[in-house]
Amino acid sequence: DTGVSQDPRHKITKRGQNVTFRCDPISEHNRLYWYRQTLGQGPEFLTYFQNEAQLEKSRLLSDRFSAERPKGSFSTLEIQRTEQGDSAMYLCASSPGRGGNTEAFFGQGTRLTVV
Amino acid sequence: DQQVKQNSPSLSVQEGRISILNCDYTNSMFDYFLWYKKYPAEGPTFLISISSIKDKNEDGRFTVFLNKSAKHLSLHIVPSQPGDSAVYFCAALTGTASKLTFGTGTRLQVTL
Protein backbone atom coordinates (compact mmCIF):
# COMPACT_ATOMS: atom_id res chain seq x y z
CA ASP A 1 0.00 0.00 0.00
CA THR A 2 1.57 3.26 -1.07
CA GLY A 3 -0.92 5.63 0.54
CA VAL A 4 -0.65 7.65 3.75
CA SER A 5 -0.54 5.35 6.75
CA GLN A 6 -1.52 6.26 10.31
CA ASP A 7 -1.05 4.31 13.50
CA PRO A 8 -2.93 3.51 15.65
CA ARG A 9 -6.38 3.66 14.08
CA HIS A 10 -8.05 3.98 17.45
CA LYS A 11 -6.79 5.10 20.83
CA ILE A 12 -8.68 5.26 24.13
CA THR A 13 -6.84 6.96 26.94
CA LYS A 14 -7.55 8.28 30.37
CA ARG A 15 -7.55 12.00 30.98
CA GLY A 16 -4.12 13.24 31.90
CA GLN A 17 -2.21 10.57 30.00
CA ASN A 18 0.13 11.26 27.09
CA VAL A 19 -0.51 9.82 23.65
CA THR A 20 1.57 9.68 20.47
CA PHE A 21 0.38 9.09 16.94
CA ARG A 22 2.46 8.19 13.92
CA CYS A 23 2.04 9.10 10.27
CA ASP A 24 3.91 7.66 7.30
CA PRO A 25 3.34 9.84 4.23
CA ILE A 26 3.53 8.83 0.59
CA SER A 27 7.23 8.27 0.09
CA GLU A 28 8.00 10.93 -2.50
CA HIS A 29 5.92 13.63 -0.79
CA ASN A 30 7.89 16.29 1.03
CA ARG A 31 4.92 18.10 2.59
CA LEU A 32 3.13 16.61 5.59
CA TYR A 33 0.10 17.99 7.41
CA TRP A 34 -1.81 17.24 10.57
CA TYR A 35 -5.51 18.04 10.83
CA ARG A 36 -8.12 17.43 13.52
CA GLN A 37 -11.76 16.66 12.88
CA THR A 38 -14.55 16.73 15.43
CA LEU A 39 -18.12 15.60 14.95
CA GLY A 40 -20.07 17.73 12.51
CA GLN A 41 -17.07 19.78 11.48
CA GLY A 42 -14.64 19.70 8.62
CA PRO A 43 -10.97 18.93 9.22
CA GLU A 44 -9.12 21.79 10.92
CA PHE A 45 -5.47 22.50 10.20
CA LEU A 46 -3.02 21.86 13.04
CA THR A 47 0.49 21.97 11.60
CA TYR A 48 2.56 21.47 8.45
CA PHE A 49 6.07 20.27 7.60
CA GLN A 50 8.16 20.86 4.53
CA ASN A 51 10.66 18.00 4.76
CA GLU A 52 11.83 18.09 8.39
CA ALA A 53 11.03 21.75 8.97
CA GLN A 54 7.81 22.64 10.79
CA LEU A 55 6.73 25.72 8.88
CA GLU A 56 3.33 26.56 10.32
CA LYS A 57 1.34 25.84 13.45
CA SER A 58 -2.30 26.65 14.10
CA ARG A 59 -3.53 28.45 17.18
CA LEU A 60 -5.40 25.21 17.83
CA LEU A 61 -2.07 23.58 18.62
CA SER A 62 -1.71 24.34 22.31
CA ASP A 63 1.56 23.83 24.16
CA ARG A 64 0.39 20.34 25.11
CA PHE A 65 0.71 19.35 21.45
CA SER A 66 4.02 18.71 19.73
CA ALA A 67 4.76 17.36 16.29
CA GLU A 68 8.01 16.20 14.78
CA ARG A 69 9.25 14.93 11.47
CA PRO A 70 12.84 14.04 12.34
CA LYS A 71 14.22 12.90 9.01
CA GLY A 72 11.66 14.38 6.69
CA SER A 73 9.90 11.04 6.39
CA PHE A 74 7.42 9.86 9.05
CA SER A 75 5.91 12.24 11.58
CA THR A 76 4.67 11.94 15.14
CA LEU A 77 2.04 13.98 16.95
CA GLU A 78 2.17 13.88 20.74
CA ILE A 79 -0.50 15.17 23.07
CA GLN A 80 0.53 15.58 26.68
CA ARG A 81 -1.88 15.60 29.63
CA THR A 82 -4.84 14.75 27.46
CA GLU A 83 -8.19 16.41 28.10
CA GLN A 84 -11.66 15.28 27.10
CA GLY A 85 -11.77 18.10 24.56
CA ASP A 86 -8.89 16.43 22.71
CA SER A 87 -11.23 13.63 21.65
CA ALA A 88 -11.33 13.81 17.86
CA MET A 89 -10.17 12.19 14.66
CA TYR A 90 -6.55 13.16 13.94
CA LEU A 91 -5.80 13.14 10.24
CA CYS A 92 -2.45 13.17 8.52
CA ALA A 93 -2.02 14.18 4.88
CA SER A 94 0.86 14.55 2.46
CA SER A 95 1.43 16.28 -0.84
CA PRO A 96 4.31 16.53 -3.31
CA GLY A 97 4.81 20.22 -2.58
CA ARG A 98 5.99 20.98 -6.09
CA GLY A 99 4.44 22.53 -9.18
CA GLY A 100 2.07 24.87 -7.47
CA ASN A 101 -1.09 23.94 -5.64
CA THR A 102 -1.87 20.29 -5.55
CA GLU A 103 -4.19 18.06 -3.65
CA ALA A 104 -3.27 16.53 -0.31
CA PHE A 105 -3.74 12.81 0.23
CA PHE A 106 -5.14 11.80 3.59
CA GLY A 107 -4.58 8.80 5.77
CA GLN A 108 -7.41 6.93 7.45
CA GLY A 109 -6.96 8.88 10.67
CA THR A 110 -6.49 8.07 14.34
CA ARG A 111 -9.65 8.24 16.42
CA LEU A 112 -8.76 9.47 19.92
CA THR A 113 -11.18 9.06 22.81
CA VAL A 114 -10.24 10.59 26.14
CA VAL A 115 -12.24 9.18 29.05
CA ASP B 1 -14.81 32.79 11.36
CA GLN B 2 -15.98 30.18 8.85
CA GLN B 3 -14.21 31.09 5.63
CA VAL B 4 -15.61 28.14 3.71
CA LYS B 5 -19.29 27.39 4.16
CA GLN B 6 -21.45 24.48 3.15
CA ASN B 7 -24.91 25.56 4.18
CA SER B 8 -26.68 22.30 3.42
CA PRO B 9 -25.78 19.68 6.01
CA SER B 10 -27.55 16.95 4.06
CA LEU B 11 -28.92 16.13 0.63
CA SER B 12 -30.96 13.19 -0.62
CA VAL B 13 -31.05 12.34 -4.32
CA GLN B 14 -32.53 9.48 -6.26
CA GLU B 15 -30.18 7.14 -8.10
CA GLY B 16 -29.58 8.29 -11.67
CA ARG B 17 -30.45 11.93 -10.93
CA ILE B 18 -28.07 14.84 -10.58
CA SER B 19 -26.59 15.73 -7.19
CA ILE B 20 -25.58 19.36 -6.71
CA LEU B 21 -23.49 20.26 -3.67
CA ASN B 22 -22.81 23.91 -2.96
CA CYS B 23 -20.01 25.78 -1.27
CA ASP B 24 -19.45 29.47 -0.53
CA TYR B 25 -16.29 31.20 0.59
CA THR B 26 -15.46 34.59 2.00
CA ASN B 27 -11.70 34.88 1.56
CA SER B 28 -10.95 36.46 -1.82
CA MET B 29 -7.34 35.24 -1.54
CA PHE B 30 -8.44 31.64 -2.11
CA ASP B 31 -7.34 30.61 -5.58
CA TYR B 32 -7.57 26.82 -5.61
CA PHE B 33 -10.54 24.74 -4.59
CA LEU B 34 -10.95 21.04 -3.94
CA TRP B 35 -13.71 18.59 -3.18
CA TYR B 36 -13.13 15.62 -0.92
CA LYS B 37 -15.39 12.67 -0.21
CA LYS B 38 -15.39 10.97 3.17
CA TYR B 39 -16.82 7.66 4.30
CA PRO B 40 -17.32 6.96 8.03
CA ALA B 41 -14.13 6.02 9.90
CA GLU B 42 -11.94 6.85 6.89
CA GLY B 43 -9.90 9.85 5.87
CA PRO B 44 -11.08 12.23 3.15
CA THR B 45 -10.46 11.12 -0.44
CA PHE B 46 -9.66 13.71 -3.09
CA LEU B 47 -12.30 13.96 -5.83
CA ILE B 48 -11.72 16.96 -8.06
CA SER B 49 -10.19 20.42 -7.97
CA ILE B 50 -10.34 23.71 -9.81
CA SER B 51 -8.02 26.65 -10.12
CA SER B 52 -9.42 30.17 -9.91
CA ILE B 53 -8.35 30.82 -13.49
CA LYS B 54 -11.01 28.37 -14.64
CA ASP B 55 -14.75 28.29 -14.21
CA LYS B 56 -15.32 24.60 -14.84
CA ASN B 57 -13.48 21.33 -14.45
CA GLU B 58 -14.86 17.95 -15.39
CA ASP B 59 -13.78 14.44 -14.51
CA GLY B 60 -16.12 11.65 -15.50
CA ARG B 61 -19.36 11.97 -13.56
CA PHE B 62 -17.99 14.85 -11.48
CA THR B 63 -17.97 18.50 -12.55
CA VAL B 64 -16.97 21.46 -10.43
CA PHE B 65 -18.13 24.97 -11.29
CA LEU B 66 -16.55 28.12 -9.90
CA ASN B 67 -18.18 31.55 -9.83
CA LYS B 68 -15.48 33.88 -8.54
CA SER B 69 -17.63 37.00 -8.49
CA ALA B 70 -20.16 35.25 -6.27
CA LYS B 71 -17.46 33.39 -4.30
CA HIS B 72 -19.39 30.22 -4.93
CA LEU B 73 -18.57 26.78 -6.20
CA SER B 74 -20.61 23.70 -6.78
CA LEU B 75 -20.01 20.02 -7.38
CA HIS B 76 -22.30 18.22 -9.80
CA ILE B 77 -22.50 14.44 -9.81
CA VAL B 78 -24.39 12.91 -12.69
CA PRO B 79 -25.70 10.30 -12.73
CA SER B 80 -25.71 9.78 -8.97
CA GLN B 81 -25.00 6.26 -7.75
CA PRO B 82 -25.61 4.62 -4.36
CA GLY B 83 -21.83 4.38 -3.84
CA ASP B 84 -21.70 8.18 -3.93
CA SER B 85 -23.42 8.28 -0.52
CA ALA B 86 -20.86 9.93 1.75
CA VAL B 87 -19.96 13.28 3.29
CA TYR B 88 -18.56 15.78 0.80
CA PHE B 89 -16.19 18.52 1.91
CA CYS B 90 -15.32 21.63 0.01
CA ALA B 91 -11.80 22.95 0.71
CA ALA B 92 -9.80 25.98 -0.39
CA LEU B 93 -6.18 27.12 -0.64
CA THR B 94 -4.43 30.43 -1.10
CA GLY B 95 -1.42 30.72 -3.36
CA THR B 96 0.91 31.51 -0.49
CA ALA B 97 -0.38 28.98 1.99
CA SER B 98 -0.30 25.24 1.95
CA LYS B 99 -3.03 24.45 4.44
CA LEU B 100 -6.51 23.53 3.35
CA THR B 101 -9.49 25.35 4.81
CA PHE B 102 -12.49 23.03 4.88
CA GLY B 103 -16.21 23.56 4.99
CA THR B 104 -18.37 21.64 7.45
CA GLY B 105 -19.47 19.08 4.88
CA THR B 106 -22.67 17.94 3.21
CA ARG B 107 -23.94 14.41 3.73
CA LEU B 108 -25.20 13.02 0.42
CA GLN B 109 -27.53 10.07 0.39
CA VAL B 110 -28.33 8.48 -2.94
CA THR B 111 -31.48 6.43 -2.73
CA LEU B 112 -32.59 3.57 -4.96
Side-chain angles (χ1 to χ4, degrees):
Chain A
D1 189 340
T2 57
V4 178
S5 177
Q6 291 188 245
D7 184 70
R9 292 288 308 277
H10 304 275
K11 178 72 177 179
I12 300 174
T13 190
K14 290 184 179 179
R15 192 172 48 188
Q17 297 294 304
N18 299 346
V19 294
T20 301
F21 310 140
R22 177 180 170 122
C23 172
D24 288 272
I26 294 171
S27 59
E28 63 269 23
H29 286 183
N30 57 26
R31 289 187 177 178
L32 186 147
Y33 312 82
W34 286 98
Y35 288 81
R36 180 173 70 185
Q37 185 179 17
T38 53
L39 197 63
Q41 300 296 316
E44 296 174 293
F45 171 79
L46 292 178
T47 190
Y48 143 63
F49 291 85
Q50 174 90 19
N51 299 312
E52 66 273 12
Q54 188 174 18
L55 297 186
E56 188 173 350
K57 292 195 291 187
S58 163
R59 291 172 298 172
L60 293 174
L61 215 64
S62 76
D63 56 7
R64 295 184 297 104
F65 288 69
S66 63
E68 293 182 343
R69 194 182 183 197
K71 297 183 180 179
S73 56
F74 74 92
S75 175
T76 58
L77 177 68
E78 181 184 16
I79 309 174
Q80 296 182 326
R81 305 181 303 281
T82 52
E83 302 173 355
Q84 285 187 321
D86 298 331
S87 296
M89 172 78 85
Y90 289 84
L91 294 162
C92 176
S94 69
S95 69
R98 295 182 298 275
N101 289 326
T102 183
E103 66 271 16
F105 295 86
F106 282 82
Q108 292 184 303
T110 295
R111 166 77 63 191
L112 173 66
T113 303
V114 181
V115 297
Chain B
D1 177 26
Q2 194 74 27
Q3 297 186 64
V4 177
K5 301 177 185 179
Q6 294 177 257
N7 292 319
S8 298
S10 64
L11 175 67
S12 183
V13 172
Q14 219 168 14
E15 182 182 11
R17 301 281 187 123
I18 185 171
S19 296
I20 300 176
L21 296 97
N22 294 303
C23 177
D24 298 290
Y25 61 96
T26 57
N27 187 345
S28 58
M29 299 299 292
F30 288 142
D31 59 5
Y32 196 75
F33 303 90
L34 307 92
W35 284 94
Y36 282 83
K37 173 180 178 179
K38 187 178 184 303
Y39 293 116
E42 293 186 10
T45 302
F46 170 74
L47 265 181
I48 192 168
S49 61
I50 188 166
S51 164
S52 60
I53 63 173
K54 296 185 176 181
D55 55 16
K56 177 182 174 181
N57 188 27
E58 193 171 354
D59 184 2
R61 296 186 298 114
F62 302 92
T63 303
V64 56
F65 296 91
L66 175 62
N67 182 334
K68 281 186 65 178
S69 61
K71 294 191 177 69
H72 177 83
L73 63 155
S74 61
L75 174 68
H76 292 210
I77 306 172
V78 55
S80 301
Q81 299 174 354
D84 296 330
S85 297
V87 178
Y88 289 78
F89 290 99
C90 170
L93 279 171
T94 69
T96 56
S98 297
K99 63 183 181 184
L100 290 164
T101 300
F102 283 86
T104 52
T106 296
R107 180 177 302 277
L108 172 66
Q109 183 174 10
V110 179
T111 59
L112 296 173

